[in-house]
Amino acid sequence: MSDVAIIDNGGANIASLRFALQRLGADARLTADPAELRASRRVILPGVGAAADAMQRLESLGLVEAIRSLQQPVLGICLGMQLLFESSDEGETTCLGLLPARVRRIPDRSGFPVPHMGWNQLEFADDPPLLEGIQRGDRVYFVHSYAAPVGPWTIATSDYGGEFSAAVRQRNFYGAQFHPERSGRVGAQLLANFLEID
Amino acid sequence: MRDGQVVKGVRFRDHRVMGDILELASRYRTEGADELVFYDITASPEQRSVDRTWVSRVASVLDIPFCVAGGIRSIEDAESVLNAGAEKISVNSPALAEPALIDRLARRFGSQCVVIGIDSQTTADRDFVVYQYTGDPERSRSTARLTLDWVREVQDRGAGEIVLNCMASDGVRQGYDIEQLTLVRESCHVPLIASGGAGTPDHFVDVFQRARVDGALAASVFHSGAIAIPDLKRHLAAAHVEVRL
């Protein structure tokens, strides 16, 4: 049984995530097999690309129900986090529906170019297990044009011309809007925390 | 990058070998660089793609974003670089030869992956003009495109970031081309990265405060050790430029 299954939804840029997990000593396997996903201790839903395409791929692979019914800790990263929500402006698509909100396009505001690319600060009130060892104000690397609103599911926010969900949790489903695999020490800490969650 | 080694030139000429790629990449990451860009400067002039064996070696040690530029002419070229672990691809000459490539890359990978590099220089009548094949002094030439027109077009086609290489300033450490960058900023609604001319920490303060760019790219001053990244970041923070410390 592998420590971590990374869902192979056809997107590029899985290598950086695999290398990051390797540096933490985790054995990560790329798979699109529902049985293998269910058998893994942890599951990561990565995502670079567009929401509608990604959902189509998950559907054609027969993975939508498989992901929704996972019981172990699941981490959605960037687009992978957005897919946990009800729906997205990006390609007007329904998503996995695990979080009751719509992912919206980041509004065009003067001084805040879209896509949002850069190192922004995390803000959070309590200390959820996913953020252990991470300080308020620590910077992590974001690359996104769409963002999830703040709600009961939010465990950390960030601000880019307006507040949005930087990290979320609903039951065993976790999400990071930023790229922990590209966020230096802070990102490595988040991934290490995810590997520790029971 | 040229033939697998890190090189740096002055005004896009006379490149000298600066060191081993993995050593430099790790050093800059540890010192606090926010992003690294690797240009394979020989790729486009020689009509070949970037040699990608080093991309995954770099990805295995780096935990900050990095961008690869050089000879990316197709979806397949881009895919292999992104699959090897790069965050972004930067396209310059091939986009000038075939602008629709930008649309295809943005549709396939998302705008956030697609950086357009623009090499720009004034002509006698003071208009900024785009240059092509700048990696090779023998083939480097101006195009018919005005820089501002090209800046607008690449955004319309889906570019997610623009790196403006101000050629007259490159490698000479006299400061970024604030005038040109300010002009481009007005037409640029995606992240704009200034490139060419950094010589002192105050040059970085200037380009952030006066040209309002989103990032500043430099090579010579870091490779030579003239500016240490931690010192530079403290200097920027003291001048109230928002930085990751």
Side-chain angles (χ1 to χ4, degrees):
Chain A
M1 186 169 81
S2 96
D3 295 338
V4 185
I6 301 175
I7 299 176
D8 183 3
N9 62 349
N13 214 358
I14 307 294
S16 55
L17 178 60
R18 296 183 84 174
F19 286 132
L21 292 165
Q22 258 171 35
R23 288 192 292 267
L24 294 167
D27 164 32
R29 191 175 307 183
L30 195 61
T31 179
D33 173 17
E36 201 172 337
L37 289 183
R38 277 192 291 273
S40 297
R41 293 183 58 221
R42 284 154 230 288
V43 173
I44 294 182
L45 178 57
V48 164
D53 287 357
M55 281 309 297
Q56 267 170 25
R57 275 197 294 270
L58 290 180
E59 272 158 26
S60 67
L61 293 165
L63 286 177
V64 170
E65 233 1 86
I67 295 170
R68 288 170 50 92
S69 60
L70 289 172
Q71 300 297 315
Q72 64 273 57
V74 177
L75 177 66
I77 294 175
C78 197
L79 174 66
M81 177 192 113
Q82 297 180 359
L83 296 182
L84 300 177
F85 282 80
E86 194 68 50
S87 60
S88 173
D89 277 359
E90 189 178 22
E92 299 291 329
T93 184
T94 55
C95 298
L96 293 167
L98 293 155
L99 291 163
R102 184 175 177 86
V103 173
R104 300 273 181 197
R105 169 133 185 121
I106 298 172
D108 278 311
R109 290 190 183 90
S110 173
F112 296 95
V114 178
H116 168 213
M117 288 198 245
W119 295 82
N120 283 62
Q121 292 179 297
L122 291 176
E123 294 302 334
F124 46 93
D126 12 289
D127 288 297
L130 192 64
L131 302 179
E132 212 177 296
I134 296 172
Q135 311 298 314
R136 292 173 183 81
D138 276 351
R139 287 179 187 272
V140 288
Y141 184 71
F142 290 92
V143 183
H144 59 137
S145 300
Y146 296 79
V150 176
W153 49 81
T154 304
I155 56 176
T157 63
S158 193
D159 197 301
Y160 187 70
E163 221 181 24
F164 63 89
S165 281
V168 298
R169 179 190 178 181
Q170 176 95 318
R171 307 193 327 263
N172 56 316
F173 291 92
Y174 298 80
Q177 178 60 68
F178 53 96
H179 284 274
E181 74 279 18
R182 285 277 166 262
S183 293
R185 180 196 62 78
V186 178
Q189 179 70 59
L190 181 135
L191 288 174
N193 292 344
F194 176 69
L195 295 174
E196 291 293 309
I197 285 170
D198 286 323
Chain B
M1 301 292 302
R2 190 175 59 196
D3 305 326
Q5 285 183 304
V6 179
V7 295
K8 180 69 192 98
V10 173
R11 288 193 180 105
F12 290 57
R13 288 170 178 268
D14 305 327
H15 290 89
R16 290 173 43 217
V17 174
M18 304 307 294
D20 173 70
I21 184 168
L22 288 185
E23 264 170 47
L24 272 176
S26 306
R27 191 187 108 201
Y28 290 139
R29 177 261 170 215
T30 303
E31 290 179 352
D34 294 314
E35 182 166 338
L36 294 178
V37 184
F38 300 90
Y39 289 93
D40 188 332
I41 55 164
T42 44
S44 255
E46 292 172 15
Q47 296 294 314
R48 64 171 175 84
S49 282
V50 60
D51 160 28
R52 284 156 200 131
T53 52
W54 56 271
V55 178
S56 64
R57 282 188 291 134
V58 167
S60 70
V61 299
L62 272 191
D63 59 4
I64 58 169
F66 73 97
C67 176
V68 172
I72 293 166
R73 288 187 198 85
S74 65
I75 295 284
E76 293 70 35
D77 291 338
E79 189 158 36
S80 71
V81 167
L82 294 171
N83 279 340
E87 196 70 35
K88 305 173 185 174
I89 42 133
S90 182
V91 183
N92 187 331
S93 300
L96 288 162
E98 194 209 344
L101 176 63
I102 304 171
D103 306 64
R104 292 206 308 275
L105 291 169
R107 260 201 313 276
R108 174 67 181 86
F109 305 108
S111 289
Q112 79 288 334
C113 283
V114 183
V115 181
I116 297 299
I118 302 178
D119 297 325
S120 173
Q121 188 160 259
T122 45
T123 51
D125 54 4
R126 307 252 335 124
D127 268 335
F128 294 107
V129 173
V130 180
Y131 276 67
Q132 196 173 12
Y133 303 123
T134 53
D136 178 358
E138 303 302 313
R139 291 193 61 212
S140 175
R141 60 179 176 85
S142 70
T143 65
R145 293 175 185 278
L146 294 178
T147 302
L148 287 182
D149 291 344
W150 186 231
V151 163
R152 288 188 200 100
E153 181 175 345
V154 302
Q155 291 177 86
D156 290 343
R157 290 180 177 278
E161 179 175 305
I162 293 174
V163 175
L164 190 74
N165 306 305
C166 303
M167 294 174 68
S169 318
D170 183 74
V172 294
R173 305 194 192 182
Q174 297 299 308
Y176 290 96
D177 186 340
I178 303 288
E179 182 197 357
Q180 183 176 186
L181 285 158
T182 303
L183 200 66
V184 168
R185 171 83 282 179
E186 286 170 20
S187 303
C188 182
H189 309 292
V190 297
L192 174 65
I193 311 301
S195 170
T200 70
D202 279 329
H203 291 154
F204 288 83
V205 174
D206 267 3
V207 80
F208 282 114
Q209 290 185 339
R210 293 170 59 204
R212 295 178 296 111
V213 296
D214 299 286
L217 187 153
S220 310
V221 289
F222 299 140
H223 292 335
S224 69
I227 297 180
I229 294 171
D231 296 343
L232 173 61
K233 289 190 139 186
R234 279 191 293 272
H235 187 82
L236 285 165
H240 306 293
V241 175
E242 207 184 325
V243 286
R244 177 181 70 119
L245 291 173

